[in-house]
Structure formats: structure tokens, C-alpha cells
Amino acid sequence: MVSLGGAAAVSSVRGDPTAGFASDDDAPLHVRVYPRPVPLWAWTRYGFDGVRDDWPPPFQDALSAIEDAFEQVLTYANERSRLEGLEAVVERGDLVRLPLPTMSRPSEAVVPSLETVLEGFRTRLDERDVLTGSTCHALLSWAPLNHRVGYGGTLSPNAWTGNVTGQPTDTGDSQTVANLGATELWDSRAVTRNMAIHEVLHTFLDTDAVEAVANSSCDHDLGTAVRVDDETMRVSPMATAYAGPDDVGGGTRFHGTGCHDHEEFHRHDGLEGVENWTYTTELSEATLEAVTRYLETSIDR
């Protein structure tokens, strides 16, 4: 248990309560991170490290990055005497094998859409009886060739965690997917960490919180792309996949398909002369503030 400011904490529980591991079910805020199966050829890249519990090094690093992101948020909030008493738990869930798609198109079985993946994930969560009303369920996927999932994402009505007034949601549990097979094959471990954070934080950034901080409805605008020298740009999690030019190899290998007006970013230092891209897991101040506002209004404590 890591105490932050004496008032709030993130604890890491490395196991799925449905598989007989311990879990702090009294915490009002849960993030539970589940692995999907990883193919044999991918395991050979990592020397089979983590194969016994289905957690290869990219997944391990992604989980640690998510934990760190919430530590940053709670530290930021505690320093401002906010979110006092809030406890958060980041848990490692058990392996998820998705059901075969029931859609009529055969392509869904080979290259499933994001919607199909999220629906299958929801089915498995229902079967495990782990929907609590305030849990973000994050699926770490290995699908480097699935352009229909891309780097990942989430969809309504399960796009936000907790009780979000005026937003299309149902139980308060959210589901999100981070396609770490894509970041590992096409990009780097630094992008893997950032996209894991990125996809989880999507579920803690509703329109009201984003507009209050960024004067924009797009949560990517909370991110930053800061020059560290004339040719090098450093990108924060919410800007990852959106900070570069909209072409192949611009920053990340593939550009995001959502909103990406660089003039609306919390900070974007322009693309002229940029040839090198680095990625930081440090959240921008705008992201910290927006997530804090979200938690203040959407998580029952």
C-alpha cells in the first residue's frame, strides 16, 4: 500500500478475486487489468518471462505504468486537499479468452472490430460476476495486425467508470482495450506504457471534466508534446498517437483516428524540424486536474 499525502492511496493487488486471490472490495475505485492470450512467437521475444501466469514483460510494464498514473493523480489531488480519503486499487486480473463472435460476417472471427472485442469482454465479466458499479476493466490485447482495434479504445455505454450524470452508461463499470501487441511490434515499450495509461484514463475523463479544464470536448487535448531540443519531442500519455503528423510513422507508427487539433492541446510545440519522438508517463497538469475533477463528481466515496 502506497500512502500519498496521508489521505489517499493506490494499492496493487496482483491477482484476480475470481481466481481465489485477495482483493480490496471495499475500495470505491478499482482498476482491474486482464491479459489476453499471447502467441508463442511473441513469448519467444521475451524468453518466456511471465509465461506461467500469462503476464509477459510488456503487460507487466503496462500494469506498473497504470499504477503510477493513479499515484500521480492522487498525489496531485492530496497536495490540494482534494479527494481526501479516496482509496484506489489497481488489480491484476486473470486471463481472458474471448468467446467466438456471433456476428454473421466471417471476418469478425479473424479480425474482430473494437465493438466485438468489447462485447466479448463484457460477456466474460458478466460470467465472472465482477461488475461492481465502479470498476474500470482494462483488457491488454495482443493483436498487432488488427487495424479494426488499432491501439485500443472504449465505447458507450461502458465508456466511463462510476456514476456519470448525463452520460450514456449502465452499471458504472467501464471496459477498455489496450492493444499492446501493436505498440510492441510497431513502436516501442515507451509507447506501450503510454497507451496503457491512455486507454485506462479515457474511462476517467468525461466531457464535463475535459471541457472544464481544456475548453474542449476531446480528452486528447489534455496531453502535451514538448520540445526537449530542436529535433526531439516528448509526448505525454493523453497525446500519444495524436501528437505527430497524420501519416504513417509520424511519432507513433499509426496516427489515432479521433480528434487531434494540435492548437487545442494543453501544450504542443509544433512539428517543424521534429525528427525524434520520446514518450513520458508523466501526466500533464491538465490531465491531472481533469481526472481529479472526474473522480470528485463520479466516484461514490
Side-chain angles (χ1 to χ4, degrees), residues 111-167:
V111 187
S113 65
L114 178 62
E115 181 179 12
T116 296
V117 171
L118 288 169
E119 286 179 351
F121 187 27
R122 182 74 173 193
T123 296
R124 292 302 189 226
L125 296 175
D126 280 333
E127 291 171 352
R128 296 184 183 190
D129 193 25
V130 293
L131 300 176
T132 67
S134 62
T135 300
C136 168
H137 302 272
L139 183 65
L140 304 184
S141 185
W142 194 278
L145 302 180
N146 188 342
H147 64 281
R148 302 180 72 194
V149 170
Y151 286 127
T154 190
L155 295 170
S156 296
N158 305 306
W160 293 281
T161 308
N163 300 314
V164 186
T165 303
Q167 300 286 1

Side-chain angles (χ1 to χ4, degrees), residues 66-284:
I66 293 165
E67 292 170 357
D68 178 67
F70 281 95
E71 288 179 4
Q72 291 180 56
V73 170
L74 294 180
T75 297
Y76 172 90
N78 287 179
E79 288 174 348
R80 290 155 180 79
S81 299
R82 298 163 68 185
L83 300 181
E84 294 180 331
L86 178 64
E87 293 183 1
V89 171
V90 178
E91 298 182 320
R92 190 174 74 180
D94 200 20
L95 183 73
V96 170
R97 299 182 186 275
L98 298 182
L100 291 174
T102 57
M103 295 188 178
S104 58
R105 289 181 294 171
S107 63
E108 284 289 344
V110 180
V111 187
S113 65
L114 178 62
E115 181 179 12
T116 296
V117 171
L118 288 169
E119 286 179 351
F121 187 27
R122 182 74 173 193
T123 296
R124 292 302 189 226
L125 296 175
D126 280 333
E127 291 171 352
R128 296 184 183 190
D129 193 25
V130 293
L131 300 176
T132 67
S134 62
T135 300
C136 168
H137 302 272
L139 183 65
L140 304 184
S141 185
W142 194 278
L145 302 180
N146 188 342
H147 64 281
R148 302 180 72 194
V149 170
Y151 286 127
T154 190
L155 295 170
S156 296
N158 305 306
W160 293 281
T161 308
N163 300 314
V164 186
T165 303
Q167 300 286 1
T169 186
D170 53 10
T171 67
D173 287 80
S174 63
Q175 287 88 59
T176 187
V177 177
N179 186 357
L180 303 190
T183 58
E184 286 288 302
L185 182 64
W186 302 112
D187 297 292
S188 66
R189 184 62 53 82
V191 174
T192 289
R193 295 186 189 98
N194 270 26
M195 288 309 299
I197 294 170
H198 181 115
E199 301 302 355
V200 168
L201 290 190
H202 268 315
T203 74
F204 296 92
L205 290 167
D206 70 340
T207 304
D208 290 344
V210 174
E211 287 183 340
V213 175
N215 196 28
S216 165
S217 60
C218 178
D219 51 8
H220 303 136
D221 293 341
L222 299 167
T224 55
V226 178
R227 285 180 186 264
V228 295
D229 59 43
D230 289 343
E231 297 181 344
T232 305
M233 188 80 84
R234 184 178 62 217
V235 182
S236 68
M238 290 314 298
T240 302
Y242 294 88
D246 190 1
D247 54 37
V248 175
T252 52
R253 179 66 63 91
F254 303 106
H255 197 281
T257 57
C259 46
H260 49 89
D261 182 350
H262 294 162
E263 293 185 0
E264 297 294 325
F265 276 39
H266 182 59
R267 176 175 173 181
H268 196 296
D269 290 346
L271 298 173
E272 185 176 356
V274 174
E275 304 207 2
N276 305 311
W277 298 84
T278 62
Y279 297 87
T280 175
T281 57
E282 183 177 350
L283 303 180
S284 70

Side-chain angles (χ1 to χ4, degrees), residues 40-48 142 181 184-186 189:
L40 179 62
W41 68 263
W43 280 112
T44 62
R45 295 183 60 177
Y46 308 111
F48 295 94
W142 194 278
E184 286 288 302
L185 182 64
W186 302 112
R189 184 62 53 82

